[in-house]
Amino acid sequence: MELTFASYNIHKAVGLDGRRDPDRIITVLRELDADIIALQEADRRFGQRAAVLPRAMLDDTHWRPLAVSERPRSLGWHGNALLVRRDIHCTLSEALHLPTLEPRGAVMGELELEGRPLRILGAHLDISGIRRRDQVHAMLGHCAARPRLPTVIMGDFNQWGRLTGAMRAFGVAWQQITPGASYPARRPIAPLDRIVTTPDWDYVASGVHHSAMAAQASDHLPVWARLTLPKK
């Protein structure tokens, strides 16, 4: 079973020209054509935390958002949302509370495809770095408290070094995929966006999605990884 995973900080759909344009984000998602997508900054920060991608627009795509929101007008939890291809069955979806000095959280979904269960998490970690490692430990703790499943964690880790800082919390038991520099979108120099997996998955390919639209739609470029889950 081969799947393409992607992570995209959509910057509340505000592009480099200062305009909020959800159509551009949808266009980039269509370019990616991933099976499972973790979004960051998918909701407005204040007020009712309304989604910046109208659900009607998502209805015209082959993805559906998992039910992780705790607010009626939000798409995600602290801006984190998960989109999955419509033929992928979801057995559990929930928001995760992370230790934080800032408004941060993560989201988790347990899925089933072709009779195979898997787990996905999306996160946007602390920008200051003070609680980043604690947040990784919290996500790993949530996974450990559930039945063991092939797992993929995606998001904006706000971490420059591949094996430094909070990334050390994954230890040797997790595979860390750093597709490349994804921030800032116009001239990316920082590999802030990552994909981390349990060893159940075989790595096929990964990359940063560069396109004319992606370079304008957000301050981050999306990253992706193609993985296979071997037969038991």
Side-chain angles (χ1 to χ4, degrees):
M1 185 171 69
E2 182 171 297
L3 294 170
T4 299
F5 296 85
S7 180
Y8 191 15
N9 184 330
I10 65 173
H11 197 227
K12 303 176 184 63
V14 176
L16 298 189
D17 56 5
R19 293 191 300 112
R20 191 186 310 277
D21 188 344
D23 282 304
R24 290 189 295 203
I25 299 298
I26 295 294
T27 297
V28 175
L29 296 181
R30 291 184 188 278
E31 292 174 352
L32 280 167
D33 196 30
D35 300 292
I36 298 170
I37 304 170
L39 298 178
Q40 301 86 50
E41 298 193 23
D43 302 320
R44 294 177 187 249
R45 186 171 183 178
F46 301 107
Q48 295 181 316
R49 307 294 207 282
V52 298
L53 298 181
R55 290 180 183 269
M57 293 180 69
L58 289 172
D59 287 343
D60 290 331
T61 72
H62 60 261
W63 303 285
R64 59 185 172 85
L66 297 191
V68 295
S69 171
E70 296 189 355
R71 294 172 179 265
R73 297 190 62 189
S74 299
L75 188 66
W77 166 244
H78 287 302
N80 294 288
L82 294 169
L83 306 180
V84 301
R85 212 175 62 210
R86 294 184 183 275
D87 62 330
I88 299 176
H89 178 59
C90 177
T91 58
L92 171 76
S93 58
E94 62 181 357
L96 304 183
H97 297 260
L98 300 183
T100 181
L101 299 176
E102 308 166 13
R104 299 286 179 185
V107 288
M108 181 172 72
E110 292 184 0
L111 312 174
E112 186 175 295
L113 180 64
E114 299 176 9
R116 308 287 299 276
L118 60 138
R119 179 180 293 120
I120 56 171
L121 286 85
H124 190 182
L125 300 189
D126 178 37
I127 196 169
S128 72
I130 296 173
R131 301 304 299 273
R132 210 177 289 151
R133 186 174 297 190
D134 293 337
Q135 291 167 350
V136 172
H137 280 301
M139 287 191 291
L140 298 183
H142 283 294
C143 292
R146 303 282 306 160
R148 189 185 181 283
L149 294 177
T151 299
V152 178
I153 302 177
M154 303 172 279
D156 180 354
F157 284 80
N158 270 316
Q159 183 76 47
W160 282 61
R162 180 176 177 271
L163 298 174
T164 61
M167 306 312 292
R168 293 177 179 168
F170 288 106
V172 297
W174 292 74
Q175 304 178 80
Q176 296 191 38
I177 301 170
T178 305
S182 55
Y183 179 85
R186 185 166 290 158
R187 291 186 178 180
I189 59 172
L192 303 184
D193 303 285
R194 315 287 182 89
I195 297 172
V196 184
T197 82
T198 52
D200 308 275
W201 299 91
D202 287 343
Y203 174 88
V204 178
S206 65
V208 180
H209 179 74
H210 292 268
S211 71
M213 186 63 76
Q216 290 293 323
S218 170
D219 62 345
H220 283 244
L221 295 172
V223 301
W224 59 271
R226 192 169 298 119
L227 308 171
T228 60
L229 192 59
K231 291 182 180 180
K232 293 182 178 179

